[in-house]
Amino acid sequence: SAATSDTIYMHFNTIIPTLIAEVASVSKVDDNNEEKEREEATRRCSRAVCHNVDTAGVNLLISEVASKCTSDKESVRKEACWFLQIVIEERATRADFYEQVPIIIRELLQRLNDSSQDVLKSTNLALTALSKFVPAEELVAHIGFIRNLIASMVSDARYRKGGVGDGEFLLPGLNQPKGE
């Protein structure tokens, strides 16, 4: 953090999309060692950014990552959820992201209705990190918000064009085999 100064967060609008896009592009490659090394290096860099950002930049960090959760590209949505997970893990000891927990919850819960299994898995890992690193007392304060958000998602799934109507609706992210 000494090398980047306390104002690196002023550049998150270019840094974060680049990191997410880079991880999304190389995570698709299977057996190329050079690409795997590049992916690992990018993931380490992403963790370092999340860990070393000044407290004043945490809100900008989360906002920038959250904006990528709704991407049209499945790989970007998956990596944005992973990025939220590492924000939670890397900032856990500072607990300076609690004001943004509703943003994190909103983005992750909305991804529970994603059509991609990879996005659902990444979302579940991020939600696991949230429940592990954020105290229950903090999470309980958001129960009403969570309930309303899920009710809205179910309503949307029922009544949008091509929705299930009054039929049974199972939220894909909560119906994973073995909870994965």
Side-chain angles (χ1 to χ4, degrees):
S1 100
T4 61
S5 83
D6 293 336
T7 60
I8 189 171
Y9 61 86
M10 300 298 280
H11 305 284
F12 279 165
N13 62 332
T14 55
I15 295 171
I16 301 305
T18 303
L19 287 172
I20 291 174
E22 183 65 20
V23 175
S25 70
V26 295
S27 67
K28 298 176 190 175
V29 179
D30 291 329
D31 294 327
N32 186 329
N33 282 340
E34 186 178 309
E35 293 296 310
K36 287 295 181 187
E37 288 175 14
R38 197 168 109 209
E39 177 186 3
E40 290 173 17
T42 306
R43 289 189 186 278
R44 281 192 309 272
C45 179
S46 299
R47 281 192 176 276
V49 167
C50 292
H51 184 80
N52 292 310
V53 65
D54 190 56
T55 299
V58 173
N59 184 33
L60 291 172
L61 173 65
I62 292 172
S63 294
E64 194 60 47
V65 173
S67 73
K68 302 304 170 216
C69 287
T70 58
S71 172
D72 292 340
K73 296 178 182 176
E74 171 186 325
S75 59
V76 172
R77 291 192 313 271
K78 173 190 168 207
E79 298 306 335
C81 290
W82 172 77
F83 222 104
L84 286 175
Q85 175 187 345
I86 65 166
V87 168
I88 294 164
E89 291 171 355
E90 295 299 323
R91 307 301 295 179
T93 56
R94 293 180 193 91
D96 57 359
F97 64 95
Y98 289 178
E99 288 182 14
Q100 285 78 37
V101 164
I103 295 169
I104 295 170
I105 290 171
R106 182 192 69 220
E107 293 305 326
L108 293 176
L109 290 184
Q110 288 177 342
R111 299 297 74 75
L112 288 177
N113 200 18
D114 203 282
S115 58
S116 164
Q117 286 297 323
D118 289 337
V119 173
L120 294 175
K121 287 178 183 178
S122 186
T123 300
N124 280 331
L125 290 171
L127 285 169
T128 299
L130 189 69
S131 66
K132 180 179 178 181
F133 292 109
V134 178
E137 306 81 49
E138 178 66 29
L139 294 174
V140 167
H142 305 293
I143 293 286
F145 174 67
I146 293 168
R147 185 178 308 145
N148 290 337
L149 186 58
I150 292 173
S152 177
M153 290 168 52
V154 170
S155 177
D156 181 54
R158 287 189 188 283
Y159 301 113
R160 72 172 178 254
K161 187 175 182 174
V164 297
D166 289 331
E168 183 177 46
F169 172 72
L170 303 173
L171 196 57
L174 299 179
N175 288 296
Q176 295 295 302
K178 299 180 183 177
E180 297 175 346

